[in-house]
Amino acid sequence: MNTITKEELQDLIGNKDAIGKYFQIEVTDFGDDFAKCTMPITEKHQNPLAIAHGGAIFSLADLCFETACHAAGRFCVNTQTSISFLNKGVGDKLFAAAKLLKSGSKMVVYEVKITDPENTLVAQGQIIGYCLGNVEELMHKK
């Protein structure tokens, strides 16, 4: 059962995480085995073709994974990511959903999907994380 609030999660990924803050990633929903986040698509998120940059999409996937880990009470780092870019990232924002596939004592595996406002699958991947500790410890670090 999660004990972290939406505000605390948003602070961790939207204020204390420089990439989350830069890309304006927001937590929209979470539970013990999932998280959902969103990111606007502005000029700073786009490549020269005026579509979402792969690095911005990857960052959204990674931060959604991080959010899901935090929601489960864990602080984990990404050790391996496999992501496929399937369609152009267009529209005014992108949506990410991270779902827990496997939880071990030190390792976790999440499936992450990125969609656009039309619910088109933009990217899909799997992230393996190594858990370093309890999210409560992270919340109290400066």
Side-chain angles (χ1 to χ4, degrees):
M1 182 129 142
N2 58 54
T3 59
I4 193 167
T5 67
K6 185 174 181 180
E7 292 75 22
E8 290 168 327
L9 279 173
Q10 187 61 51
D11 184 54
L12 286 171
I13 70 144
N15 293 323
K16 293 183 177 177
D17 188 296
I19 295 298
K21 187 174 184 175
Y22 179 79
F23 282 129
Q24 301 167 279
I25 295 172
E26 293 183 22
V27 177
T28 58
D29 196 12
F30 64 95
D32 291 335
D33 62 352
F34 79 96
K36 294 181 179 182
C37 297
T38 187
M39 176 183 73
I41 300 178
T42 67
E43 282 187 13
K44 73 178 174 182
H45 300 90
Q46 295 175 333
N47 66 21
L49 299 173
I51 60 175
H53 192 286
I57 294 169
F58 183 96
S59 293
L60 175 59
D62 186 51
L63 270 284
C64 193
F65 153 79
E66 181 181 325
T67 301
C69 291
H70 293 343
R74 298 174 125 179
F75 172 54
C76 304
V77 292
N78 183 334
T79 61
Q80 182 176 331
T81 298
S82 171
I83 191 165
S84 297
F85 298 94
L86 305 170
N87 289 289
K88 296 184 284 187
V90 294
D92 61 345
K93 61 176 55 177
L94 293 176
F95 304 90
K99 179 183 172 188
L100 180 67
L101 298 177
K102 173 74 173 146
S103 179
S105 61
K106 285 289 187 181
M107 303 292 283
V108 293
V109 181
Y110 282 84
E111 173 186 61
V112 181
K113 293 183 179 183
I114 308 296
T115 56
D116 69 11
E118 302 298 320
N119 206 31
T120 301
L121 188 60
V122 173
Q124 179 174 311
Q126 189 176 79
I127 299 176
I128 300 171
Y130 182 77
C131 302
L132 299 173
N134 187 299
V135 72
E136 298 289 331
E137 300 167 26
L138 180 64
M139 288 172 36
H140 301 296
K141 286 189 178 190
K142 296 227 178 205

